[in-house]
Amino acid sequence: MKALLLVYCVMKIHCFGLLLSFLATCSVVGAFEKGDVVVQHDFEGITASEMWNTELGPLVQLVANDKGGQALRIERKLDTAPSTMVRIELPAQSLRGSKIRIKATVKAENISAPPSSWNGIKVMLNTQGPSGNNWPQQNLPQGTFYWRAANYVASIPNDAERALIILGLEAVTGTVWFDDVIITIESKARPRPPTPPTGPYYKGHNSSRLRGAMIGANLKEKDFRDLAAWKANHVRWQLIWNGFPHSPADDADVAAYDAWLESALIHLDSMLPLCRQLGLHILLDLHTPPGGRNPEKQCRMFQEKRFQDAFLMAWEKMARRYKDESIIWGYDLVNEPVDDNLMDGLMDWRDLAIVATQRIRAIDPDHAIIIEAAPWGGPNALADFEPLPIDKIVYSFHMYEPGEFTHQNVYDDDASPIAYPGKIRGDVWWDKEQLRRVMQPVLEWQRDYNVHIYVGEFSAIRWAPGDSAHAYLRDLIDLFEENEWDWAYHAFREWPGWSVEH
Ligand SMILES: *[C@@H]1O[C@H](CO)[C@@H](O)[C@H](O)[C@H]1NC(C)=O
Ligand SMILES: *[C@@H]1O[C@H](CO)[C@@H](O)[C@H](O)[C@H]1NC(C)=O
């Protein structure tokens, strides 16, 4: 343990800043290990009182809490006043490439409605560096609530120069109390292998390339014939319970989930002979996992053990059912997993994927297992992911970069049209070369481990202006083909917004 200079500063944003520095001995410099505490504040004792004393001003005070100790109280009384925030500096350079877990307990009174969705009570990380600034946070409710946990995971970019934890009230009035702030290492930066393996890598199929689409949940014979007539040889078969990211699974128990899954598999079974006849290699995609997602869209199987158990049993059931089915290429264990809400004693996504793979392999040694990285399966999530210590795995990512273009006017319908190629997200010119740059970390990751890559989803909304959606899809497919990646377009006869037929 080495001493580290931590700077605590209370900023009255847009107004004046009070800057206080203290020496603290609560951090390790250099190599952090998984589980290490980076910073911890319980606001108890004389040291804490000296650190957070009344010099910080009347709006930020250490006060007695109603649990018998002290808490940090932050107020903002007037709508016209600057936001009230406290910043805790983290050792950014030692944290580069790792994920940290940010935990605090929070109580609030009379928090006004936030003017924008991101305003309100802040338990926020801010990272700063050449690749940009990020502000990951967990949204907390307005109004009045008793002690509750903020608990989430955020990534520290590889080029981070500063990392700050920000506590306070932004653009809302009211009073908030913080206690038991603790920042721990969730995972370390991925170690790159000194000598990457070479030679042919495992793909799990013998086609030169899988090209196809993710499909709607209830397609019939004619749909499959039409897709095959487009020369597709692959479908990503989404096992989806009536909606994404939210679905009836969010409120369903395990018995109801199992009943739904069985009904979805009965439909799949009925189409297997046709897919075999048409040469459509099927990837089973568990789009809706047991427990569904919580309001923050995190998978509930990282909160409740019964859903992790149900997940493992669901895959054992599917492995038994399909182990001899040659038209099935493999098993995509979870669509866009999010495990930021991991509860103590449960497996995180990677550990759960390892166990699921072992359970499947005990029954079905042959089919490929396809893994997406948490959170959300994007190119950066995969680039940060440490591959499983198991062979015959294909790794997958979904490509919707830049989201401002691909998802334009999906969630709000009056934003101005965004064209591709074009200037998107500030001053960046997005064209094929920019798409290549965004996917370069995946290519480097692939080279590190000599594994096969599958693009399980990519798309652009059909109302993107002019020829934009076509140009974007064409450039992406060119790049996938150049890299010898298999791909599935999102989506064939599912939602009209993602359809190339509308
Ligand atoms: C919240 O509002 C109520 C009703 O106006 C008031 O009595 C109470 O003191 C307020 N709480 C705080 C902490 O300001
Ligand atoms: C691919 O071909 C090899 C050699 O013929 C065969 O052993 C293997 O089972 C085939 N794999 C698949 C997934 O069909």
Side-chain angles (χ1 to χ4, degrees):
M1 299 276 263
K2 259 200 254 167
L4 175 78
L5 180 68
L6 292 181
V7 178
Y8 297 88
C9 72
V10 175
M11 293 283 288
K12 297 186 173 179
I13 309 288
H14 312 306
C15 183
F16 57 93
L18 270 166
L19 214 76
L20 300 173
S21 303
F22 300 91
L23 262 179
T25 54
C26 55
S27 258
V28 188
V29 174
F32 282 110
E33 295 298 325
K34 181 172 174 162
D36 278 355
V37 175
V38 183
V39 163
Q40 182 166 19
H41 291 288
D42 56 10
F43 305 108
E44 306 300 335
I46 291 166
T47 324
S49 301
E50 280 169 4
M51 237 178 233
W52 302 94
N53 67 15
T54 50
E55 283 179 56
L56 299 184
L59 296 178
V60 180
Q61 300 243 312
L62 271 198
V63 296
N65 70 22
D66 50 12
K67 302 180 296 180
Q70 293 188 124
L72 181 72
R73 184 185 69 196
I74 295 184
E75 294 174 283
R76 182 169 178 261
K77 291 176 178 162
L78 296 172
D79 247 345
T80 49
S83 295
T84 321
M85 318 257 225
V86 169
R87 297 165 178 225
I88 302 170
E89 186 100 29
L90 303 181
Q93 308 205 346
S94 311
L95 294 173
R96 284 177 177 174
S98 46
K99 289 184 181 166
I100 58 171
R101 179 171 290 280
I102 297 157
K103 275 190 185 179
T105 54
V106 185
K107 182 178 91 153
E109 256 184 66
N110 304 340
I111 306 297
S112 60
S116 298
S117 60
W118 59 87
N119 297 140
I121 299 171
K122 297 273 113 170
V123 180
M124 181 168 73
L125 174 69
N126 169 220
T127 61
Q128 305 169 13
S131 69
N133 294 350
N134 298 293
W135 293 269
Q137 66 174 340
Q138 181 164 15
N139 285 332
L140 287 158
Q142 59 194 67
T144 297
F145 57 85
Y146 196 59
W147 292 107
R148 57 179 284 158
N151 182 354
Y152 68 103
V153 174
S155 299
I156 308 288
N158 282 320
D159 62 350
E161 285 165 356
R162 285 191 82 187
L164 303 153
I165 299 291
I166 298 176
L167 306 175
L169 292 173
E170 181 188 65
V172 290
T173 57
T175 306
V176 61
W177 292 258
F178 296 98
D179 207 350
D180 300 320
V181 175
I182 179 162
I183 316 298
T184 52
I185 301 294
E186 185 71 11
S187 64
K188 295 200 301 172
R190 171 177 69 85
R192 295 190 68 175
T195 32
T198 53
Y201 48 75
Y202 172 82
K203 295 201 300 184
H205 63 77
N206 285 332
S207 306
S208 60
R209 185 93 71 252
L210 295 183
R211 302 180 176 98
M214 179 162 146
I215 56 170
N218 278 301
L219 298 198
K220 302 290 186 295
E221 174 169 351
K222 178 170 189 311
D223 303 310
F224 290 98
R225 291 198 184 280
D226 291 348
L227 188 60
W230 294 5
K231 298 203 170 70
N233 65 355
H234 165 55
V235 292
R236 181 167 180 258
W237 193 295
Q238 52 172 336
L239 297 165
I240 182 170
W241 190 358
N242 213 359
F244 179 83
H246 292 298
S247 91
D250 300 3
D251 304 307
D253 62 15
V254 168
Y257 178 86
D258 287 345
W260 160 74
L261 182 61
E262 177 59 26
S263 69
L265 297 179
I266 286 171
H267 175 59
L268 167 66
D269 294 347
S270 72
M271 293 293 152
L272 281 175
L274 178 66
C275 290
R276 232 180 277 133
Q277 183 196 330
L278 297 171
L280 288 170
H281 295 79
I282 297 171
L283 177 61
L284 275 194
D285 150 36
L286 193 60
H287 222 76
T288 308
R293 295 185 187 243
N294 66 14
E296 286 77 40
K297 302 179 192 147
Q298 301 154 328
C299 301
R300 291 174 66 223
M301 61 180 179
F302 299 106
Q303 287 173 302
E304 291 186 50
K305 183 168 185 302
R306 62 184 169 133
F307 295 130
Q308 290 206 340
D309 293 342
F311 170 73
L312 296 170
M313 281 166 62
W315 276 117
E316 286 182 322
K317 167 185 168 142
M318 290 187 273
R320 273 192 295 274
R321 195 165 177 140
Y322 301 114
K323 64 183 165 53
D324 298 320
E325 177 51 69
S326 61
I327 200 62
I328 288 184
W329 167 41
Y331 307 133
D332 190 341
L333 296 186
V334 178
N335 178 69
E336 301 183 355
V338 178
D339 63 357
D340 297 351
N341 52 331
L342 182 67
M343 293 291 157
D344 293 341
L346 292 184
M347 290 180 268
D348 69 6
W349 167 234
R350 184 170 177 276
D351 288 345
L352 184 63
I354 290 172
V355 173
T357 302
Q358 289 163 338
R359 298 268 192 102
I360 292 169
R361 286 279 161 81
I363 298 165
D364 173 354
D366 291 328
H367 280 119
I369 289 175
I370 284 74
I371 306 279
E372 304 172 38
W376 291 108
N380 282 326
L382 184 60
D384 283 346
F385 190 72
E386 203 175 334
L388 311 194
I390 300 178
D391 61 4
K392 291 197 194 164
I393 299 209
V394 171
Y395 292 89
S396 175
F397 75 101
H398 294 178
M399 180 64 187
Y400 292 102
E401 293 283 346
E404 296 91 324
F405 167 72
T406 61
H407 283 64
Q408 58 188 292
N409 290 329
V410 173
Y411 306 113
D412 49 5
D413 32 1
D414 54 3
S416 39
I418 299 173
Y420 173 92
K423 212 180 247 191
I424 307 168
R425 205 180 278 172
D427 265 347
V428 180
W429 181 262
W430 284 78
D431 58 7
K432 189 172 174 182
E433 290 318 302
Q434 176 64 12
L435 297 179
R436 187 194 299 280
R437 274 191 286 278
V438 166
M439 296 190 291
Q440 187 63 25
V442 174
L443 197 58
E444 285 166 13
W445 189 90
Q446 173 178 27
R447 287 178 183 148
D448 278 354
Y449 303 105
N450 198 39
V451 289
H452 186 46
I453 298 290
Y454 167 70
V455 189
E457 289 185 26
F458 63 101
S459 201
I461 205 73
R462 70 174 164 84
W463 47 77
D467 192 36
S468 294
H470 174 254
Y472 175 81
L473 297 177
R474 184 200 55 216
D475 285 351
L476 277 185
I477 291 172
D478 274 359
L479 293 165
F480 303 158
E481 292 284 329
E482 192 180 302
N483 293 336
E484 306 188 345
W485 295 342
D486 292 326
W487 51 264
Y489 159 73
H490 176 223
F492 179 70
R493 298 190 186 165
E494 188 219 40
W495 181 54
W498 301 120
S499 168
V500 291
E501 296 178 289
H502 284 76

